Amino acid sequence: MAVELNHTIVHSRDNRESAEFLTGLLGLEIAGEAGHFVAVELSNGVTLDFATIPADEISPQHYAFLVSEEEFDAAYARIRERGIEHYADPGRTRQDAINHNDGGRGVYFLDPSGHYMELLTVPYGGRPA
């Protein structure tokens, strides 16, 4: 039996704000709402189900999104247009830059709830042969 991630719940200060932040940057759409969840579906069928919880209960998580070169260009342009603080590294020491690791490009930034977001064009370890 194949095991696949189906969805994960993303704790947010404001579920709609966080879902719209992500969809706006990545050119996605909100897939639906159920109860107190606002869902964003990724191209592999996995959904991020944003849920509003008290801000002091949010533990920042890391979400990395593998995107094409074209999607990276579009998202990075939006990041810059919106003045979103971003970094080339997860330690946030190389501000206003991207990285060129493993033959691709990457960038790190925070979402409205303080989650660490990453866009990368090549999985870690490089392009498959």
Side-chain angles (χ1 to χ4, degrees):
M1 177 178 173
V3 177
E4 297 179 359
L5 180 64
N6 177 265
H7 71 277
T8 191
I9 296 171
V10 181
H11 292 167
S12 307
R13 291 182 317 206
D14 179 313
N15 59 0
R16 177 151 296 279
E17 175 189 34
S18 291
E20 288 177 352
F21 174 83
L22 186 64
T23 58
L25 284 183
L26 298 181
L28 300 172
E29 295 183 13
I30 290 176
E33 296 185 46
H36 60 276
F37 297 109
V38 177
V40 173
E41 185 173 358
L42 306 177
S43 63
N44 59 353
V46 174
T47 61
L48 302 177
D49 298 342
F50 291 89
T52 301
I53 69 165
D56 63 346
E57 294 180 22
I58 296 173
S59 294
Q61 301 295 311
H62 175 72
Y63 297 94
F65 301 94
L66 184 62
V67 298
S68 70
E69 293 289 338
E70 296 77 20
E71 291 164 330
F72 185 92
D73 288 340
Y76 188 59
R78 291 180 193 112
I79 287 169
R80 293 180 61 197
E81 287 167 6
R82 296 173 187 182
I84 297 170
E85 196 171 284
H86 60 281
Y87 300 86
D89 62 309
R92 300 188 301 171
T93 62
R94 295 175 43 213
Q95 188 171 355
D96 298 326
I98 63 172
N99 66 57
H100 299 311
N101 296 333
D102 294 318
R105 296 181 291 163
V107 67
Y108 299 83
F109 55 96
L110 297 177
D111 86 336
S113 296
H115 294 299
Y116 300 96
M117 304 300 217
E118 175 184 6
L119 303 180
L120 66 159
T121 62
V122 174
Y124 289 108
R127 296 185 192 275

